[in-house]
Amino acid sequence: MRRKLIEHIGSIAFVTLIFALLVVSLKDRQEADRQARIRLVAPYLNLPSLDFGSPRDRALFKETLDLFRPDSRAANDSLMRAIEAYRQSQFTDPALKTGVGDQGLSWAVLRRLGGMYLQFVLVYTVVLGLTFYAAQSLAMYRFVRLKQGRSSYLAEFLQRLRAWNLPETKGGAGARSVQLLLPLLKAGLKVIAYAVLFSPAYVIGYAVKTSVDMDSLLFMVLLGVVSNGLLINYANKFYTLLVGESRKGYVETALVKNLSGLYAWNVPAGVSYRSLLLLPRRFPGHVFQHVYLNARYQYLPTLKEQASFLITGLIIIEMALNIQGHLCYELLQTILYRQYDSALVIVLGIFLLVKVTEILVDVRRYKEGLRYENRG
Amino acid sequence: MKIGADRVTIIHLTHPSRRHVQWALLWVAGIALVWGWDLLFLNRPAFAQVRTALFNSLLGGFLVVVFSMILGWACALLVYFLEQRGQTLMHLVLTFVFNLVRSVPQIVGILLGYVFLTALIVQDVLRAPFLQLLSMSLVVSLFVFLEVMDLIRERIEHYKNLDFVDAMLCCGIKEHRIINVEILRKNSMAHLVHKAVAVFGMAIFLQCSIDFIISVGLSTEVSSANFPVTLGSLLARMDSKQDILAISIVFSNVSYVGTLLTRHLQGLNIAGIIVYTLVCTYNIANGLVRRYHL
């Protein structure tokens, strides 16, 4: 454990040092870069009788450039974009505005970023907790269904359709129709759920943009949980661990020792929905208790990977949906306006968040390991 | 007491699961269906763009898989041999660097990589579209290959302690041959194919997301004029976004579905292809797990 902690602290110190050096060097270079960009476009901006505000003049200038330098069309495009960016920056670049407060990295900027960072950490913590809980619940539900030998909803529908005219099928036409269509309805809902769970956040975000307040934290949390395939992929990982555990020898031994192995919902000695949903999850007298605990112990390291992927998802949400006033939108803006010092500080903050999560997970796993190995 | 799992296992032994093949075929059929629908209802210029974007995205995903496999294999072997030959310092440094990369959220790393690529494109270093696609895929694979490396290291660790490895070493067979042929090719192919499918899905997701973000948020600096068009960048265009926005009309007026499927086809198509591809890769990977008991 000590070695792991040293490695974590070492990497935090290393990255912080590198970023600090980069921030200091970039702070000096940013102004120089701005001047260099101005020098690049200045000769063209001062050309007589050429108004870059006019589309006709711009098109003429572009054609002239292509005629004079036919082999450098990409460079010509870049020059046109540089001129356009320069003209645009006269109106939009905060660094060129007066009376807008601090420019570049300052204490005031750090305080502003700090507020956004805390908000980001809050959303991250809530989403991580929710996905950890929901992924396990989903996986356990799927596992119990597997143990029950249940087939897919579509197969169930076909099976009932085939049995429609058999004499064993009970009930009137109405009841039988409901019984027949229920799996089909469930299959439809499953398809919709899959579509939502695998959708990138920006697809869901734009699909509901007109009817939902995109800036609300609740919406961000919800989107973070259900989109980008996060929930379904980590539920699948936990499910794989459950299946792997259930194949181990101790399960058979536990069954011989009279622990229940009945995977039926809400019956005595079975598995109840309540114990699946309520925390802490307990299945007293059932072999599933041990399968679950062992799978959960193995799942803990995956939480590090999940944390990193969750941050990827949150960044996608904030950046792709242009949620203003949030940390990752700010990151995008700082990159856009080449304020790389601020961008590096934000990236460092995100890196530290992942590292803190990794340390917490490692400590938790170490403690649980002590308990399982009877050393604690 | 007989539990449900026993029945499932017996079924698996008598009828090996073909789910991965079924889902692969389903993906092809789905894309063919969308193609046919587009031929009927999507205008020609938009259809041409969707085709190019789909091709670029799939090619990009495939390239990420290739790069990740090569990088993962090379780094896993490098770390293994450094450890075996007692070069502790180099081993520690490399492990430290890999763990560092692991702690950087993929999208942040890729975004910074794209900023670097943009600089290269602006300076006319990267001109050919294929070269651009290649470099985009390389950037994505730099943040994905660690999964492959972990798998290969885990497979080597798993087999290293078995008797057959010692027996082969005693017979004079070279260690690299044992690892590459006996462990990886003969005994881990299913694991590697499963990982390749998972990496492909991840690559499509990351590539589409980063292209979308860049096209939406950094549009003055990086645009479709710079990078080859992909599903993500095409989805970020105004007309595609309007198509996606139109989905919300269905919540209040269900009969609008028909109009949605014929008039707002471009955006819907792209979003559908992305989601469908992700669902299929997930199910193909799961099918492989079931078939080969991974």
Side-chain angles (χ1 to χ4, degrees):
Chain A
M1 186 61 210
R2 186 178 292 166
R3 198 186 144 186
K4 273 192 177 170
L5 277 179
I6 290 171
E7 195 186 318
H8 283 312
I9 293 165
S11 60
I12 288 174
F14 177 74
V15 171
T16 310
L17 183 73
I18 297 284
F19 274 44
L21 289 174
L22 279 172
V23 166
V24 171
S25 69
L26 279 172
K27 219 170 156 48
D28 298 332
R29 270 187 57 188
Q30 259 168 230
E31 190 48 41
D33 281 352
R34 199 186 338 268
Q35 292 304 328
R37 281 200 303 276
I38 293 171
R39 270 200 302 278
L40 174 74
V41 298
Y44 305 100
L45 291 171
N46 296 329
L47 284 174
S49 69
L50 190 69
D51 175 16
F52 278 102
S54 150
R56 189 196 61 151
D57 283 14
R58 278 205 305 271
L60 271 174
F61 180 69
K62 173 78 174 51
E63 279 182 22
T64 315
L65 272 179
D66 286 343
L67 274 175
F68 274 89
R69 302 190 306 198
D71 296 331
S72 314
R73 281 179 185 270
N76 298 342
D77 286 342
S78 301
L79 179 64
M80 288 302 294
R81 273 197 301 277
I83 292 171
E84 195 54 36
Y86 175 77
R87 292 184 63 253
Q88 205 177 23
S89 71
Q90 302 290 307
F91 302 101
T92 56
D93 192 349
L96 297 177
K97 286 185 180 174
T98 52
V100 291
D102 301 276
Q103 293 161 6
L105 198 60
S106 62
W107 284 115
V109 172
L110 279 176
R111 264 201 303 277
R112 190 165 55 84
L113 291 179
M116 291 177 189
Y117 185 64
L118 286 179
Q119 198 182 42
F120 184 78
V121 172
L122 176 74
V123 172
Y124 163 79
T125 313
V126 172
V127 176
L128 187 64
L130 284 175
T131 44
F132 186 64
Y133 166 79
Q136 289 191 9
S137 304
L138 261 177
M140 288 158 85
Y141 175 76
R142 228 180 115 190
F143 177 76
V144 173
R145 273 184 62 88
L146 171 88
K147 286 292 184 189
Q148 288 171 348
R150 298 278 290 271
S151 52
S152 71
Y153 291 124
L154 213 57
E156 219 170 289
F157 166 75
L158 291 173
Q159 205 178 351
R160 287 185 189 184
L161 194 66
R162 272 186 230 114
W164 179 262
N165 284 327
L166 293 180
E168 301 95 79
T169 314
K170 290 170 186 167
R176 276 195 289 172
S177 302
V178 171
Q179 271 195 342
L180 177 73
L181 292 175
L182 202 62
L184 201 62
L185 185 72
K186 283 182 182 174
L189 288 174
K190 196 176 165 184
V191 169
I192 294 170
Y194 261 57
V196 171
L197 289 172
F198 278 101
S199 280
Y202 41 87
V203 173
I204 303 177
Y206 275 98
V208 297
K209 198 170 186 172
T210 50
S211 42
V212 176
D213 174 20
M214 306 280 280
D215 290 348
S216 77
L217 284 184
L218 188 69
F219 179 68
M220 264 198 72
V221 168
L222 196 66
L223 211 52
V225 173
V226 300
S227 67
N228 295 325
L230 179 78
L231 186 58
I232 191 86
N233 275 313
Y234 286 93
N236 193 42
K237 287 203 176 174
F238 192 66
Y239 170 76
T240 312
L241 290 174
L242 286 172
V243 173
E245 272 305 310
S246 70
R247 287 180 190 149
K248 288 187 179 167
Y250 74 85
V251 174
E252 300 290 326
T253 314
L255 291 173
V256 171
K257 286 188 174 177
N258 227 7
L259 257 75
S260 171
L262 181 66
Y263 286 96
W265 293 117
N266 296 328
V267 294
V271 181
S272 69
Y273 285 120
R274 194 182 153 81
S275 50
L276 204 75
L277 295 172
L278 286 185
L279 290 176
R281 294 187 178 97
R282 288 188 204 287
F283 308 94
H286 201 288
V287 71
F288 189 43
Q289 170 78 15
H290 304 282
V291 171
Y292 161 66
L293 286 177
N294 286 325
R296 199 188 64 173
Y297 177 64
Q298 291 174 58
Y299 183 72
L300 274 177
T302 315
L303 202 58
K304 292 195 261 185
E305 197 189 301
Q306 186 180 337
S308 182
F309 190 63
L310 164 61
I311 288 185
T312 291
L314 290 180
I315 293 172
I316 290 171
I317 292 169
E318 289 186 9
M319 284 186 172
L321 300 178
N322 281 343
I323 306 180
Q324 296 188 17
H326 285 254
L327 190 75
C328 300
Y329 177 78
E330 197 67 20
L331 173 63
L332 204 63
Q333 292 297 302
T334 52
I335 292 174
L336 181 62
Y337 294 118
R338 295 166 196 259
Q339 295 164 351
Y340 293 125
D341 49 0
S342 302
L344 281 175
V345 168
I346 297 173
V347 173
L348 179 65
I350 292 171
F351 173 78
L352 289 178
L353 187 58
V354 179
K355 270 290 163 200
V356 169
T357 311
E358 286 182 357
I359 292 172
L360 290 175
V361 169
D362 281 340
V363 169
R364 178 71 198 258
R365 186 170 158 85
Y366 174 70
K367 282 189 174 169
E368 284 215 7
L370 287 181
R371 204 174 65 195
Y372 286 123
E373 290 157 24
N374 294 325
R375 289 193 287 136
Chain B
M1 177 189 249
K2 196 163 189 169
I3 53 173
D6 299 332
R7 287 203 303 275
V8 174
T9 316
I10 293 161
I11 290 165
H12 276 178
L13 288 174
T14 47
H15 303 288
S17 167
R18 306 278 299 161
R19 240 184 103 182
H20 55 296
V21 181
Q22 286 165 0
W23 273 99
L25 291 174
L26 214 59
W27 180 80
V28 175
I31 296 293
L33 188 72
V34 169
W35 194 288
W37 191 264
D38 285 352
L39 270 173
L40 291 174
F41 296 103
L42 190 63
N43 61 70
R44 286 292 160 89
F47 185 38
Q49 279 190 332
V50 172
R51 263 192 339 239
T52 314
L54 177 62
F55 176 75
N56 283 342
S57 293
L58 294 181
L59 181 63
F62 175 73
L63 287 171
V64 172
V65 172
V66 173
F67 286 140
S68 301
M69 285 290 160
I70 294 170
L71 278 171
W73 171 79
C75 292
L77 259 60
L78 182 65
V79 171
Y80 174 76
F81 282 116
L82 284 176
E83 196 178 14
Q84 288 295 103
R85 283 163 200 180
Q87 297 191 357
T88 322
L89 185 69
M90 271 302 287
H91 176 254
L92 275 177
V93 170
L94 265 183
T95 314
F96 179 78
V97 171
F98 290 141
N99 285 341
L100 206 65
V101 175
R102 221 185 289 273
S103 299
V104 178
Q106 289 154 330
I107 204 90
V108 174
I110 297 168
L111 188 65
L112 296 179
Y114 266 54
V115 170
F116 176 68
L117 288 184
T118 310
L120 291 181
I121 290 172
V122 169
Q123 286 165 17
D124 243 4
V125 179
L126 284 176
R127 289 173 77 175
F130 182 70
L131 204 61
Q132 291 170 0
L133 200 65
L134 212 66
S135 44
M136 285 156 70
S137 306
L138 188 63
V139 167
V140 176
S141 59
L142 284 178
F143 296 91
V144 175
F145 85 94
L146 288 168
E147 282 187 33
V148 182
M149 189 185 100
D150 289 344
L151 172 76
I152 292 177
R153 291 208 63 198
E154 188 241 306
R155 298 304 295 165
I156 294 172
E157 282 300 312
H158 175 74
Y159 281 102
K160 206 178 74 177
N161 300 322
L162 298 184
D163 289 341
F164 87 92
V165 174
D166 289 333
M168 287 182 127
L169 283 170
C170 286
C171 292
I173 298 170
K174 292 261 190 310
E175 201 174 358
H176 67 82
R177 192 192 145 78
I178 297 174
I179 290 175
N180 288 326
V181 179
E182 303 300 328
I183 296 179
L184 295 180
R185 191 163 69 80
K186 289 188 182 167
N187 286 300
S188 306
M189 201 40 95
H191 291 81
L192 288 170
V193 172
H194 170 253
K195 188 53 80 182
V197 173
V199 166
F200 181 78
M202 178 60 90
I204 293 286
F205 171 71
L206 286 173
Q207 190 199 58
C208 289
S209 301
I210 201 80
D211 287 341
F212 186 89
I213 287 171
I214 282 179
S215 303
V216 167
L218 298 176
S219 52
T220 54
E221 290 295 309
V222 190
S223 66
S224 50
N226 297 111
F227 286 112
V229 63
T230 60
L231 291 174
S233 59
L234 198 56
L235 189 64
R237 291 192 188 162
M238 193 51 80
D239 41 357
S240 304
K241 281 195 289 194
Q242 279 174 345
D243 293 340
I244 300 295
L245 281 167
I247 294 175
S248 58
I249 300 173
V250 178
F251 301 142
S252 52
N253 178 14
V254 182
S255 62
Y256 198 72
V257 171
T259 319
L260 204 67
L261 291 173
T262 47
R263 269 178 51 191
H264 299 283
L265 209 49
Q266 184 179 311
L268 214 63
N269 227 322
I270 300 163
I273 290 172
I274 295 172
V275 176
Y276 186 60
T277 305
L278 292 177
V279 172
C280 288
T281 47
Y282 167 85
N283 280 300
I284 293 169
N286 270 354
L288 284 165
V289 170
R290 192 184 281 195
R291 171 70 181 81
Y292 296 103
H293 299 277
L294 304 178

